[in-house]
Amino acid sequence: MRGFSYTFYKRASKALHDQSQLSKVLIITTVGVGGAWTAYAYAATRTHTDTSLPKKKVVVLGTGWAATSFLKNLNSSSYDVHVVSPRNYFAFTPLLPSVTCGTVEARSIVEPIRNIVKNKPSKIEFREAECYKIDLGNKKVYCKPTSQLTNVDNGNEEFSVDYDYLVVAMGARANTFNTPGVVENCHFLKEIEDAQRIRRTVIDCFERANLPNVSEEQRKQILRFVVVGGGPTGVEFAAELHDFVREDLGNLYPNLKDLVNITLLEAADHLLNMFDKRITEFAEDKFKRDGIDLKTGSMVTQVTDKEIFTKERATGETKSSPYGMVVWSTGIGTHPVVTEFMKQIGQVNRRAIATDEWLRVEGSNCIYALGDCAAINERKVKEDIAEIFNKADKEKRGKLNLKAFKAVVEEICERYPHVEIYMKKKQFKNIVKLLKTNTESNGDKQASEIDIEQFKVALAEVDSQMKNLPATAQVAAQQGAYLANCFNRMEECEKNPEGPIRIRGTGRHRFQPFRYKHFGQFAPLGGEQTAAQLPGDWVSIGHSSQWLWYSVYASKLVSWRTRMLVVSDWARRFIFGRDSSQI
C-alpha cells in the first residue's frame, strides 16, 4: 500500500513538473474557487444581516398534541417562537392506560420539548410556566412559574409575554359534570402524573388488603376498582387492569386474586358509542366473559371517601357501593383560563373556543386555537345561499343553468366540506347531479335552469351533515401540522392567495381551509385483542389487530428514542411480566 502511494505521488509530481502550464491552471483554479467561495459566503452573510427584518413573535400555549405538532412542522425562520407550558415535555397520551399497570414505563412515552425543537430554523424559547390570563387589548399573556423552589429570589414572580400571533393549544381537563366528591375522591387519566398515581394506588390496595389484621369484607372493599366512563380510555384502562391482575398480581398475591372486582359504569346504553356496532357488541361480550362487572345506563350521582352512589337511568333507583379506587374517565371540560378568555371574546356557555375553518378564533386575525380546547364552527350553506347563487349567476338573470353553476362547484365544496360529505352519503357524483335530482323530484324533468327557490330546496339538507370533530390526538396533530404549514407559507400566500373564493366579498382566502382526514381508531380490549375500525367501514377484531395496534402506535411515537423504549417495554413485559414495585 505504501509502495502504491509513493509511486502515485512520484508520477503526479513528474507530470506537474513536465507540464508547467497544467500546474499553473490547477493553482489558479484552486485559488479562484476558494476565493469565490469565500466571497460568496461573506456576501451571503452580509446579505442575510443587511436584509434581516424584525421577526413576528409567536406565542404557543401548551405542549400537547396540537402544540407539539405545530412546533415540529414549523420550518420558517421568519418567527420568534415562545412556548409556555407547565410541562417541559410531550406525552404520548394514547399509551397512558398502559402506564397505569406497568406495561409501559412513564419515561418511555415522554420526550423533552427542547429535544423536539432544538434543530428548528426559527428561534424557539421554552418557559415552564402556567398561563393564567390572556390580555387581548395589549396582546400579552400573563404567566406564573410552576416551580416549587422557595430559596431563589424572584424565582416565583409572575411575568408577561407579548405576542404578534397567539396559538392557544392548552388542551382540556377532565369533565366532572359537577358531580359531588369526584375531584376529592377520584383519579383521572389525563396526564403522566395521573397514570403514575393510579399505578401506585393499585399496588397500595393490594398491599393493604394483604395485611393480617384486615377482614375478608374489608379486603373485598379495598380490591373493588370502579371505572366511570365507557369510552376508549375507560375501556382500555379496565382491560389493562384486568390483564395486570390476571397475569401478574394474581401470582404475587394468590390469596387475593379471587376477591378482586372490576366494575365499569357507563351512563349510555352501550360501551364505545363512537365505534361500529360490531365492536361495541364484541367488547361488551368479552368483558362479561372476563368477569368485568359491566353496568350500562348507570349514572354516578355522588362519590364519598368510601362509597360511590349511582342512579339507574331506566328505573330511577339509587344504589351505593363501597370501593377501593375510582378512576373517572367521562369526557373533557374547559380549563379556567380558557373559560375566562371565551368570556372576553363573547363566547359564553360553550365547551370550547369557536374558530373558523382556518383555526382562527372568531373575531380575531392573530389568535388561533386548536386541539381539545377549540371547536371549528363551520359556516352553514343556508347562511350564504343567496351569495352563492349570485356568484354563479354572473349574467344576473335570476336563473341559473347547470353549466354556469358547475363553474363554482369546486369552490363550494372547498368552502363547505359538508356538501361533499352529503353528496357521498346520497351517492351523488357531483353537485350537478344533486340539483338535477331535486329538479326532477319537483316534476320538471326537462328543466335546464333553476331559480333561487329551487336552489334552496336542493341544498336544504346539506347542513345536516355538519358535525364537530372528536377531541382526539389524531385531530389535534393534524390541526397543528396544518397551522404550521400556513405559517410556513404566510408571506407567499399573502401575495398569491390559494384558498377558495370569498362568498361574501371579493378575491380568495389566503389558504385552503382545514380538512380532517380520519385514519381509523383502535380500542384495546385486553388479552392481546384489539378492535380496529379503519376507513371504508373496515372492522377487525382479535389478535391480528393487536399487532396492527403495536405497529401503528410505535410508528406514531415522537422520536426514535421513545420508539426504542416503548418496544423494549413491550418485550420486557412479554418475557418478565409487569413490574409491581410501588415506585
Side-chain angles (χ1 to χ4, degrees), residues 120-285:
K120 305 302 293 183
S122 56
K123 179 185 176 184
I124 300 180
E125 296 284 348
F126 175 78
R127 301 285 183 265
E128 188 179 71
E130 182 180 1
C131 172
Y132 67 89
K133 181 183 178 182
I134 300 173
D135 187 348
L136 292 174
N138 297 313
K139 300 182 76 171
K140 292 178 181 289
V141 292
Y142 292 88
C143 313
K144 55 184 178 182
T146 56
S147 173
Q148 301 299 318
L149 293 176
T150 58
N151 60 341
V152 180
D153 292 338
N154 301 326
N156 293 318
E157 287 189 358
E158 299 174 354
F159 62 93
S160 65
V161 184
D162 58 329
Y163 63 84
D164 294 306
Y165 295 107
L166 178 63
V167 179
V168 183
M170 303 177 71
R173 62 176 182 174
N175 191 353
T176 65
F177 301 98
N178 296 319
T179 306
V182 171
V183 175
E184 296 82 3
N185 302 300
C186 295
H187 292 269
F188 302 106
L189 193 48
K190 291 288 292 179
E191 308 286 350
I192 285 288
E193 294 82 3
D194 296 333
Q196 292 175 316
R197 196 177 299 115
I198 290 172
R199 180 175 177 177
R200 288 192 297 267
T201 304
V202 170
I203 302 302
D204 185 49
C205 285
F206 275 83
E207 292 294 351
R208 285 164 55 200
N210 196 47
L211 295 176
N213 58 342
V214 178
S215 66
E216 188 83 359
E217 195 64 30
Q218 289 174 323
R219 286 174 177 169
K220 289 182 179 180
Q221 175 183 341
I222 294 171
L223 296 177
R224 185 166 190 260
F225 302 97
V226 180
V227 183
V228 183
T233 302
V235 166
E236 184 174 353
F237 170 70
E240 280 279 357
L241 182 58
H242 173 266
D243 287 353
F244 190 26
V245 172
R246 181 174 60 87
E247 298 172 4
D248 300 284
L249 296 180
N251 297 326
L252 298 175
Y253 305 89
N255 58 316
L256 300 178
K257 63 180 180 180
D258 294 331
L259 303 178
V260 178
N261 175 271
I262 301 174
T263 301
L264 181 59
L265 303 177
E266 168 56 41
D269 295 328
H270 297 283
L271 300 179
L272 302 172
N273 286 316
M274 68 294 298
F275 281 79
D276 186 274
K277 186 179 179 181
R278 290 168 287 180
I279 293 177
T280 297
E281 293 175 351
F282 180 87
E284 293 176 353
D285 291 341

Side-chain angles (χ1 to χ4, degrees), residues 246-471:
R246 181 174 60 87
E247 298 172 4
D248 300 284
L249 296 180
N251 297 326
L252 298 175
Y253 305 89
N255 58 316
L256 300 178
K257 63 180 180 180
D258 294 331
L259 303 178
V260 178
N261 175 271
I262 301 174
T263 301
L264 181 59
L265 303 177
E266 168 56 41
D269 295 328
H270 297 283
L271 300 179
L272 302 172
N273 286 316
M274 68 294 298
F275 281 79
D276 186 274
K277 186 179 179 181
R278 290 168 287 180
I279 293 177
T280 297
E281 293 175 351
F282 180 87
E284 293 176 353
D285 291 341
K286 185 180 185 305
F287 276 15
K288 290 175 182 177
R289 292 196 306 270
D290 290 343
I292 296 176
D293 188 8
L294 177 61
K295 295 183 178 180
T296 57
S298 184
M299 299 181 294
V300 177
T301 58
Q302 184 183 358
V303 182
T304 67
D305 58 344
K306 294 182 180 179
E307 291 184 306
I308 182 169
F309 295 82
T310 59
K311 181 179 180 180
E312 299 302 316
R313 193 157 50 86
T315 63
E317 181 184 0
T318 300
K319 298 179 181 179
S320 67
S321 56
Y323 68 86
M325 183 184 75
V326 177
V327 174
W328 188 274
S329 177
T330 60
I332 58 174
T334 310
H335 279 297
V337 63
V338 174
T339 302
E340 289 299 319
F341 173 65
M342 289 194 291
K343 289 180 181 178
Q344 288 186 57
I345 58 178
Q347 296 185 14
V348 294
N349 299 323
R350 289 185 58 88
R351 182 196 64 81
I353 303 170
T355 71
D356 62 14
E357 294 92 330
W358 293 268
L359 307 184
R360 292 174 303 196
V361 174
E362 289 188 347
S364 175
N365 289 322
C366 63
I367 302 179
Y368 298 83
L370 52 160
D372 291 354
C373 68
I376 298 176
N377 191 13
E378 291 184 1
R379 195 168 185 87
K380 297 181 179 179
V381 172
K382 68 179 182 181
E383 295 175 354
D384 297 329
I385 199 160
E387 285 73 15
I388 295 173
F389 188 88
N390 291 333
K391 284 281 185 182
D393 185 18
K394 296 180 179 179
E395 299 179 1
K396 308 302 179 187
R397 297 186 302 111
K399 286 186 176 291
L400 192 67
N401 60 48
L402 298 179
K403 183 178 180 181
F405 187 76
K406 195 172 183 179
V408 291
V409 168
E410 291 185 1
E411 280 77 7
I412 289 176
C413 289
E414 288 178 0
R415 184 65 182 85
Y416 309 95
H418 48 283
V419 173
E420 187 174 359
I421 296 173
Y422 177 78
M423 290 191 298
K424 286 182 179 179
K425 185 175 181 180
K426 295 293 184 179
Q427 297 183 343
F428 296 130
K429 292 184 177 180
N430 52 51
I431 204 164
V432 175
K433 176 66 175 176
L434 169 65
L435 296 175
K436 283 184 177 180
T437 301
N438 280 273
T439 302
E440 292 173 0
S441 65
N442 292 331
D444 191 0
K445 296 185 179 181
Q446 303 300 322
S448 59
E449 293 183 330
I450 58 173
D451 58 23
I452 183 66
E453 295 303 321
Q454 292 173 311
F455 185 59
K456 289 180 179 179
V457 171
L459 299 179
E461 297 181 7
V462 166
D463 291 331
S464 64
Q465 299 302 309
M466 296 179 66
K467 294 180 180 179
N468 287 330
L469 295 176

